[in-house]
Amino acid sequence: MEPPTPPLPITDALTEPFWAGARAGRLVIQRCRGCGLYIHLPRPVCRRCQSDDLGHEEVSGRGTVYSFTETRKAFHPFFVERVPYLVAVIDLEEQPGLHLLSNLVRVAEPDVRFNMAVRVAFEELSPELTIPVFEPVPA
Ligand code: ZN
């Protein structure tokens, strides 16, 4: 039997730069060229200055754990062999409140702390899909 493949994101012009960046090992976030605001999730208009002149930029990949939970039930066949895993909201350092939903790796649930420093890493789930994940920054 073939191993299960991951569910793939349905991308569009707004979200494809994020996924293309991940495939290239870069964390890419939408940014307003008018006022400099980083925007995630991507949207067609800047919420601060209403500009539609939006681009995408690579960010540092550094951040802190804003919130997290452990997932113990697989909601798709691909995840059966992966549970339990940690889902986290990462607060990226570029801007207060710039949050990214991701996974924590190379750390066990009892060792996770709110506000702990993390950095991006990339996990290739299939030839079409690489996802940004976050790992603790070594002390
Ligand atoms: Zn703006």
Side-chain angles (χ1 to χ4, degrees):
M1 197 170 110
E2 292 284 311
T5 55
L8 296 177
I10 298 167
T11 65
D12 59 21
L14 285 176
T15 58
E16 178 54 27
F18 175 86
W19 296 110
R23 284 191 298 273
R26 301 164 66 229
L27 184 60
V28 172
I29 300 290
Q30 189 185 46
R31 190 173 196 190
C32 176
R33 293 191 184 103
C35 73
L37 186 73
Y38 288 98
I39 302 163
H40 189 80
L41 302 164
R43 45 194 293 162
V45 175
C46 175
R47 70 172 186 272
R48 185 161 70 187
C49 76
Q50 281 70 57
S51 172
D52 61 2
D53 185 14
L54 306 174
H56 288 80
E57 286 186 16
E58 183 173 9
V59 294
S60 68
R62 290 187 296 270
T64 55
V65 174
Y66 178 79
S67 181
F68 68 98
T69 189
E70 186 172 65
T71 297
R72 297 186 177 149
K73 179 173 170 54
F75 293 98
H76 181 281
F78 179 74
F79 297 99
V80 168
E81 299 293 322
R82 299 173 67 90
V83 289
Y85 58 88
L86 294 168
V87 175
V89 176
I90 306 301
D91 194 6
L92 297 175
E93 73 170 8
E94 273 74 14
Q95 177 179 290
L98 181 61
H99 288 168
L100 176 68
L101 186 63
S102 184
N103 296 125
L104 290 173
V105 298
R106 290 181 273 285
V107 62
E109 190 273 337
D111 299 326
V112 180
R113 297 288 179 271
F114 294 115
N115 297 316
M116 73 186 280
V118 291
R119 66 184 180 195
V120 73
F122 292 91
E123 189 173 353
E124 186 179 322
L125 299 183
S126 76
E128 307 83 28
L129 180 62
T130 297
I131 61 169
V133 296
F134 285 79
E135 62 185 9
V137 174

